[in-house]
Amino acid sequence: MIPSWLVIGSIAFLVSFLVNRIPTDDFRWFLRLKRPSWLTFEFAIPFIWIFIFVCLILSASIIWDTDINMDKKIVLMTLYLALEIAILGYTRVMCAFRSLLVGVFIGGGGFFLGLILAGLVFFANKSALYLLIPYLLWSPIGTYVTWAMIPLNREAI
């Protein structure tokens, strides 16, 4: 039998590949944006997101392996998928609209989706819940960074 983490990780990778395809011009726009001077840790952001995605995959795998009914599993797996799409859609949609405000809304929406997921996971498995904490801590920081970029990039509201 294939381990759940491998199946869920493969699906997460496939979704990432499909959603995270940002056109070159849009990505150039994103790279040209001014950042706050206190954003000295920008080099670490990709590593932070890798860690968060690994935690989300492990959390989803624990839920899949937990002894709960299949209807609850499907609802939770759908929420994990929706959260991944929201996270990956942040840069894609923000760049397509060339609007930092859109990024703030997507980041904030993703955080609230993560809170809903955490609330439901709380009743299923505490270990899976603990693995959602890195996202719940980082998401508001990432959203705030986007918010702080708005005054520096007035043309990108």
Side-chain angles (χ1 to χ4, degrees):
M1 186 157 156
I2 301 173
S4 60
W5 64 265
L6 185 58
V7 173
I8 291 170
S10 298
I11 291 169
F13 180 79
L14 178 63
V15 169
S16 175
F17 180 76
L18 294 173
V19 173
N20 210 19
R21 300 176 65 119
I22 302 170
T24 306
D25 287 344
D26 290 348
F27 195 62
R28 271 193 221 118
W29 171 84
F30 180 73
L31 292 176
R32 284 193 299 262
L33 292 171
K34 296 177 186 110
R35 272 81 168 151
S37 60
W38 49 262
L39 187 62
T40 58
F41 55 89
E42 188 172 15
F43 72 93
I45 292 174
F47 301 105
I48 292 168
W49 278 114
I50 289 168
F51 176 74
I52 288 170
F53 276 112
V54 168
C55 288
L56 292 174
I57 289 165
L58 293 175
S59 177
S61 299
I62 289 169
I63 289 298
W64 186 259
D65 294 336
T66 297
D67 188 25
I68 56 175
N69 75 44
M70 188 55 75
D71 291 340
K72 288 181 183 176
K73 283 184 186 186
I74 290 171
V75 167
L76 292 171
M77 291 302 117
T78 302
L79 287 172
Y80 278 105
L81 179 61
L83 182 59
E84 180 185 11
I85 290 170
I87 292 168
L88 295 170
Y90 161 84
T91 305
R92 177 93 158 95
V93 175
M94 180 179 64
C95 287
F97 283 93
R98 297 188 184 215
S99 169
L100 291 166
L101 195 55
V102 166
V104 169
F105 282 116
I106 294 171
F111 173 73
F112 286 109
L113 184 59
L115 279 179
I116 292 167
L117 178 61
L120 295 172
V121 167
F122 173 83
F123 296 105
N125 188 296
K126 300 295 186 284
S127 295
L129 172 66
Y130 299 145
L131 287 165
L132 294 175
I133 292 173
Y135 173 72
L136 294 174
L137 292 174
W138 176 253
S139 177
I141 295 169
T143 302
Y144 176 74
V145 168
T146 306
W147 179 259
M149 290 171 63
I150 290 174
L152 302 173
N153 299 279
R154 286 287 180 194
E155 72 287 352
I157 295 176

